[in-house]
Amino acid sequence: MIIKFLFLIPIFFTTTSRGVQVEVQELVINKIYRSSTNDTLEYIFYFNMTELNLMSEDSLISQNKPLSQDAITSLKITATVEEEMSSPVMFSIRYNYITTSWNLPYSTSPGSNTYEKWLCPLQHEDATREVQISVSTTSILPRTFSLLLEKVENFLVPLNTKTYVDYVSSSAPVFYYIDVADPMDSDKTNILEVKVNSNDDICAVVSVQPFQCPLFEEFGGLNSRPNVTWQTMLKSSAFMINKKDYKAGFFLVLKVIEEEGTCKNLKHIGTNQDPTLAKRLRKSFSFMVTNNISRRQIHNEVIATAALFLGMAFLVCVITLAFRVYRGRGTGERSEIKNFVKQTDVEWINTDSGEREDFPTQHFDADGEEVDSKRNTEANGNAKFVSELAVKTLDKIPMKKAKSMFQSSDMYVWLVLVMGVFYSIPALQLVLNYQEETEETGNQDLCYYNFQCSIPFGTLTDFNHFFSNIGYVGFGVIFLILTKYKSWRYHLQDGCDFVAGQKVNKGIPHHFGIFYAMGFALIFEGILSACYHVCPTQENFQFDTTFMYVMAMIMFVKIFQFRHPDLTANAYKLFFVVAMIMFLEVIGIFFGNDFFWFIALSGYGIGIVMVSFIFYFSHAIDEQDNVKRNIWKLNLKSVFRAFRLVWDAMICKNTKPWKDNFLSSKLILILILQAFNVGFLLWGAIVRPGISSYLLYIFVANLMIYTIFYGSMKIHHKEKITIPPMIYATLAMCFWMPGLYFFSNPPNSFDGTPAQSRNFNKECDILDFYDYHDIWHFLSAAGMFFCFMLLLTLDEGLADVETQSILIF
């Protein structure tokens, strides 16, 4: 007591020189002290913490077994003022060389007359155990206050123990010590999973702080503290920490945030919260820290996933080879004679001279009626059969055609490769920078993970979502191998048969370049989706969708190329369109204002019209110098030609091209595409959804419509469909249908803040390792692969049919 009194003598005499009286009192646990203060009277309360169990950081690190429940204790000081006046009451605590102050009413929660302060239980070796609390005010009138000192119950929380906390507010933050010792961690990783839940939709911040004093409870300064990890939350919070960073254990700090905009996107979500009621915001929590992630579990899941894909690859190879064997047994001289009887208007090539000749036979259309294809073509300038639009494909033509062939097929491969490499490198750099920033600042609000199912491994915070993209890469490689196999067989047979000693073209003219491009695009989809999942955000969501656009576009082009071999858009033109779309996407992400949507939707409308014109006039050909040319392609000439045709029709000057190119099947396709795309256009104008998802929906919907149309036309014209495409179509539907369900139930959301996104987080549903989005990865990768296989085998039933007999549609 004498030491305490001597310590307070300088304060007493200093204050009395200014006419301020200082009163000293000792605090006792569980006893309320009530008094009044003004500008002439201050109070100093003291309490000696020798009665409590305190530990140093070194002593905790040396512990190799869990601590007992009362090994560490803490105190809670509750300060209250009874009246609201203009002059606040200031409270100041000095302990362990640290001074902490606050005013009542609480400055960050106007109208709050109570503040609770938990004392850090860390003991410095050379520091006194005495706690001093000073109370003062500048008010002339007396301000009544009260102090209550209490012992915190269950302050130490061991691993795998669920704890409930009631009535936390911005002026009453709480923290608990988490003992990280685990005697059963021989097979476990050093990763601890912190999960915090609440039934109250009130903004709060959850932080993990090392066993050091002082604790930082204010939201604004958490980024500046080393080894501090934090998240904002509404109803759910979960994140992973490395036990090696917290060898002495750590503090879990919970605090309510009054600024609702921190956790809620008021522009999109809205709120009914009255700001004047902020002082009554109280939130209850439950939390648990676990160490359940084992190395064996991660290894087993990786092996099981790889085995699953190998099994599916084996299944596809068996189907392909079995059909080849079955089909090989059914061919021979008999089928050769049958094909000869059915041949129509045979076109053959003299390999010695390189000249094309005609072998006159009967010609039948798809309805079985005899027609004259030459007369048909010359009469109206429109092609009726695939061979009439396959000049470059069927001819062993001079080198002047080689460049055009390359641009319509093989160039797709190289552009996909160049785009994939130069797009993946900066994408990976960006997301790794995001992850590094997250680790340095501890700000877990930077990335929109599914924190409830985020399995770290190595340097990756979200390894399971990263690894689940292996399906895209694996299936892409398998498709490339199967495409190479089919290309080898096709070139081995040369796509021709010999009839009466002459070479006759059969089947759909093949361009395998686009098939290879599809396989590489699927691989890069997996790579870029993996990059996106390193740190998913609204800004880098385009990494996850870009190659979906590319695959949808080149699949659309491939289906069109089946019946329009020489009308296919050159690769550099198509990828220029892709570049413009990506540019618009970036602008839409950062500047999605009215002007952007006007420009984007206007371009979308022009694109709809141009595609409709290309479909309508896709049969039109021209012949100059005995060389047939397609007059409708994706270029500026087609744009001017379209305007001229529309103008001539409006003034009734020339409607013959419209009549000559009229086909009911084409008109049905155009009307369906127009209806869907106008609907998308109106949806974009009214709702203005996320630009990346909006573009993805447009491309996928148009691809589905065109694929269904193509299959329907094959059935309508009674073309032979072999067993493999039917199997692949069935498998694709079996994967896409459940896949779309999982896609429509994502475990996160970009429509709000990170705290709102965490409300959608879900536990690992599959094998305690994968969630709904991982299943979407697996199912969509398989569904896309089987769609590729469907296109690769769709027209195999026409392999024995003369090219001159295959209709255009």
Side-chain angles (χ1 to χ4, degrees):
M1 283 300 293
I2 295 176
I3 297 177
K4 297 185 183 70
F5 178 73
L6 293 175
F7 177 78
L8 293 171
I9 286 177
I11 300 176
F12 177 82
F13 282 106
T14 302
T15 55
T16 54
S17 64
R18 295 185 289 108
V20 178
Q21 181 181 354
V22 177
E23 185 174 332
V24 181
Q25 293 188 24
E26 182 178 7
L27 287 175
V28 178
I29 294 179
N30 296 329
K31 181 180 178 180
I32 299 178
Y33 290 83
R34 182 176 285 105
S35 188
S36 298
T37 182
N38 56 31
D39 61 342
T40 62
L41 178 61
E42 295 182 5
Y43 286 86
I44 295 180
F45 299 89
Y46 67 90
F47 172 76
N48 198 313
M49 298 184 66
T50 55
E51 304 176 12
L52 301 179
N53 295 323
L54 305 178
M55 299 188 71
S56 65
E57 185 175 6
D58 293 337
S59 64
L60 286 171
I61 294 176
S62 63
Q63 294 285 335
N64 56 6
K65 60 181 180 179
L67 300 172
S68 61
Q69 185 66 46
D70 58 350
I72 301 178
T73 54
S74 182
L75 291 176
K76 176 177 69 173
I77 298 174
T78 303
T80 306
V81 294
E82 296 185 354
E83 309 95 0
E84 293 188 19
M85 299 181 66
S86 58
S87 297
V89 177
M90 185 180 77
F91 297 82
S92 179
I93 298 180
R94 183 165 58 183
Y95 168 64
N96 263 349
Y97 305 118
I98 299 168
T99 300
T100 305
S101 301
W102 70 90
N103 294 332
L104 286 181
Y106 190 49
S107 56
T108 62
S109 180
S112 179
N113 296 336
T114 301
Y115 186 85
E116 295 181 3
K117 177 68 178 179
W118 291 28
L119 299 180
C120 181
L122 176 64
Q123 175 60 43
H124 291 291
E125 295 181 358
D126 56 345
T128 177
R129 287 198 169 195
E130 185 175 84
V131 179
Q132 295 183 12
I133 306 172
S134 65
V135 184
S136 62
T137 183
T138 58
S139 174
I140 299 176
L141 300 176
R143 299 297 308 275
T144 302
F145 69 92
S146 64
L147 287 176
L148 173 62
L149 185 65
E150 299 174 280
K151 185 177 179 180
V152 178
E153 300 293 336
N154 301 320
F155 178 73
L156 186 150
V157 179
L159 294 179
N160 305 313
T161 302
K162 193 167 187 177
T163 303
Y164 295 89
V165 185
D166 294 327
Y167 304 123
V168 178
S169 68
S170 63
S171 59
V174 302
F175 63 91
Y176 290 86
Y177 172 75
I178 310 299
D179 182 12
V180 298
D182 185 0
M184 305 297 293
D185 64 351
S186 58
D187 185 48
K188 297 178 181 177
T189 63
N190 289 315
I191 302 301
L192 300 178
E193 184 178 14
V194 181
K195 290 188 177 182
V196 184
N197 295 295
S198 175
N199 294 325
D200 305 314
D201 195 35
I202 297 173
C203 187
V205 61
V206 180
S207 62
V208 169
Q209 304 188 27
F211 190 76
Q212 297 174 1
C213 292
L215 278 79
F216 209 92
E217 299 166 343
E218 298 300 327
F219 171 65
L222 291 174
N223 282 340
S224 61
R225 297 293 302 274
N227 288 335
V228 173
T229 303
W230 60 272
Q231 291 180 357
T232 56
M233 72 165 288
L234 289 169
K235 292 186 176 182
S236 174
S237 174
F239 44 89
M240 306 293 178
I241 60 173
N242 196 326
K243 187 163 65 172
K244 292 182 179 180
D245 297 332
Y246 304 96
K247 296 180 180 179
F250 61 86
F251 293 121
L252 181 64
V253 185
L254 309 172
K255 182 179 180 179
V256 170
I257 301 176
E258 301 291 354
E259 295 81 8
E260 194 176 18
T262 304
C263 292
K264 293 184 178 181
N265 191 335
L266 304 182
K267 178 180 178 181
H268 291 89
I269 306 299
T271 178
N272 296 323
Q273 182 65 45
D274 185 356
T276 62
L277 301 180
K279 62 182 180 180
R280 294 203 287 262
L281 289 178
R282 287 182 172 270
K283 188 179 183 73
S284 60
F285 297 87
S286 65
F287 69 85
M288 183 166 63
V289 182
T290 59
N291 184 22
N292 297 328
I293 303 175
S294 67
R295 298 180 182 89
R296 181 178 300 177
Q297 176 192 4
I298 296 177
H299 295 158
N300 290 343
E301 299 305 332
V302 170
I303 294 173
T305 304
L308 176 65
F309 285 116
L310 289 175
M312 296 187 68
F314 178 76
L315 174 64
V316 173
C317 292
V318 167
I319 295 174
T320 303
L321 293 176
F323 177 72
R324 291 296 178 190
V325 173
Y326 171 79
R327 188 165 179 259
R329 290 179 179 177
T331 59
E333 183 178 356
R334 184 175 180 182
S335 60
E336 187 78 18
I337 297 173
K338 185 177 180 180
N339 290 333
F340 176 76
V341 173
K342 286 188 175 180
Q343 70 176 340
T344 60
D345 200 17
V346 179
E347 178 181 336
W348 61 277
I349 301 169
N350 189 323
T351 55
D352 295 329
S353 64
E355 297 178 354
R356 301 167 59 208
E357 301 182 20
D358 291 332
F359 187 85
T361 61
Q362 289 178 306
H363 188 97
F364 298 91
D365 66 9
D367 296 326
E369 298 180 0
E370 184 178 353
V371 296
D372 184 348
S373 62
K374 267 189 178 180
R375 178 181 52 77
N376 217 1
T377 302
E378 293 171 357
N380 53 29
N382 298 327
K384 187 177 182 64
F385 300 94
V386 170
S387 60
E388 296 170 297
L389 287 178
V391 179
K392 297 193 294 290
T393 306
L394 298 180
D395 282 350
K396 306 299 183 184
I397 47 182
M399 290 300 296
K400 65 180 181 179
K401 298 290 186 180
K403 179 180 178 182
S404 180
M405 283 288 296
F406 173 76
Q407 293 173 348
S408 298
S409 181
D410 293 341
M411 181 180 265
Y412 279 89
V413 184
W414 295 106
L415 288 183
V416 166
L417 288 172
V418 170
M419 176 183 174
V421 170
F422 285 95
Y423 197 51
S424 300
I425 293 174
L428 184 61
Q429 291 174 330
L430 178 64
V431 295
L432 289 178
N433 179 68
Y434 278 164
Q435 181 167 299
E436 182 179 358
E437 182 179 354
T438 299
E439 294 174 354
E440 290 179 354
T441 64
N443 182 3
Q444 296 281 316
D445 280 3
L446 292 176
C447 305
Y448 284 66
Y449 298 121
N450 176 16
F451 291 92
Q452 298 281 355
C453 182
S454 177
I455 310 295
F457 187 75
T459 59
L460 295 174
T461 303
D462 197 14
F463 172 75
N464 51 329
H465 290 91
F466 177 90
F467 179 73
S468 63
N469 290 282
I470 190 175
Y472 297 110
V473 179
F475 280 125
V477 172
I478 295 171
F479 183 73
L480 289 175
I481 294 173
L482 294 175
T483 300
K484 180 63 178 177
Y485 171 73
K486 181 169 183 179
S487 175
W488 171 74
R489 285 190 60 88
Y490 177 78
H491 289 99
L492 187 66
Q493 298 173 353
D494 202 21
C496 302
D497 282 341
F498 285 89
V499 178
Q502 304 296 336
K503 204 172 187 180
V504 179
N505 296 296
K506 289 190 174 184
I508 292 290
H510 282 286
H511 297 274
F512 287 98
I514 295 183
F515 282 128
Y516 285 116
M518 288 160 56
F520 282 113
L522 188 59
I523 292 174
F524 280 113
E525 168 60 27
I527 294 173
L528 282 164
S529 180
C531 290
Y532 158 74
H533 283 285
V534 171
C535 181
T537 66
Q538 174 68 38
E539 289 75 19
N540 61 29
F541 181 59
Q542 58 179 315
F543 302 156
D544 196 27
T545 58
T546 297
F547 270 88
M548 284 290 187
Y549 310 157
V550 174
M551 285 188 289
M553 293 182 73
I554 60 180
M555 287 174 71
F556 198 99
V557 169
K558 186 59 193 176
I559 297 173
F560 186 77
Q561 189 185 62
F562 285 151
R563 304 301 168 117
H564 307 82
D566 288 359
L567 196 55
T568 305
N570 289 339
Y572 63 87
K573 296 178 182 178
L574 185 73
F575 277 85
F576 177 78
V577 174
V578 172
M580 292 297 99
I581 291 172
M582 291 173 60
F583 176 75
L584 281 175
E585 181 181 13
V586 173
I587 299 299
I589 291 173
F590 293 99
F591 309 100
N593 52 26
D594 295 343
F595 180 73
F596 162 78
W597 281 102
F598 175 77
I599 297 297
L601 295 178
S602 298
Y604 181 24
I606 295 173
I608 295 171
V609 174
M610 281 305 305
V611 171
S612 299
F613 267 92
I614 291 175
F615 272 120
Y616 192 89
F617 294 97
S618 58
H619 292 53
I621 61 174
D622 186 22
E623 187 169 348
Q624 296 180 3
D625 300 327
N626 296 322
V627 177
K628 296 178 181 178
R629 295 182 178 87
N630 311 118
I631 61 176
W632 278 92
K633 290 189 176 183
L634 186 63
N635 52 33
L636 290 177
K637 290 182 180 179
S638 297
V639 176
F640 292 121
R641 187 178 294 113
F643 280 113
R644 188 175 68 250
L645 287 172
V646 172
W647 176 254
D648 290 345
M650 291 177 62
I651 63 176
C652 299
K653 179 181 178 181
N654 183 15
T655 59
K656 186 175 183 297
W658 295 90
K659 296 177 181 179
D660 291 342
N661 286 274
F662 177 81
L663 281 177
S664 58
S665 58
K666 289 193 300 184
L667 186 61
I668 292 173
L669 172 64
I670 292 171
L671 291 177
I672 294 175
L673 288 175
Q674 290 277 13
F676 270 85
N677 284 282
V678 170
F680 275 117
L681 194 148
L682 294 176
W683 179 46
I686 298 171
V687 179
R688 298 187 182 180
I691 185 64
S692 298
S693 300
Y694 181 63
L695 292 173
L696 181 61
Y697 296 152
I698 290 173
F699 286 119
V700 171
N702 282 275
L703 175 62
M704 289 177 60
I705 294 169
Y706 194 34
T707 304
I708 294 172
F709 169 80
Y710 189 85
S712 301
M713 292 299 293
K714 285 180 68 69
I715 296 173
H716 173 70
H717 291 296
K718 300 179 181 180
E719 292 185 352
K720 180 181 177 182
I721 300 177
T722 57
I723 296 176
M726 291 190 285
I727 295 176
Y728 295 137
T730 303
L731 289 174
M733 292 180 62
C734 290
F735 282 104
W736 276 118
M737 292 178 67
L740 292 174
Y741 168 77
F742 289 109
F743 178 75
S744 62
N745 292 275
N748 60 356
S749 173
F750 294 127
D751 292 334
T753 63
Q756 289 173 320
S757 174
R758 277 187 278 274
N759 285 347
F760 294 90
N761 288 177
K762 300 174 183 178
E763 299 280 351
C764 297
D765 298 298
I766 311 299
L767 304 176
D768 293 328
F769 194 78
Y770 296 121
D771 65 5
Y772 277 16
H773 196 70
D774 294 314
I775 304 306
W776 155 251
H777 284 166
F778 295 138
L779 295 177
S780 62
M784 189 65 71
F785 169 73
F786 287 117
C787 286
F788 286 4
M789 292 301 299
L790 171 64
L791 297 188
L792 187 64
T793 60
L794 185 57
D795 283 321
E796 286 188 344
L798 302 177
D800 296 327
V801 178
E802 307 292 350
T803 305
Q804 289 279 15
S805 302
I806 301 175
L807 290 174
I808 299 173
F809 48 75

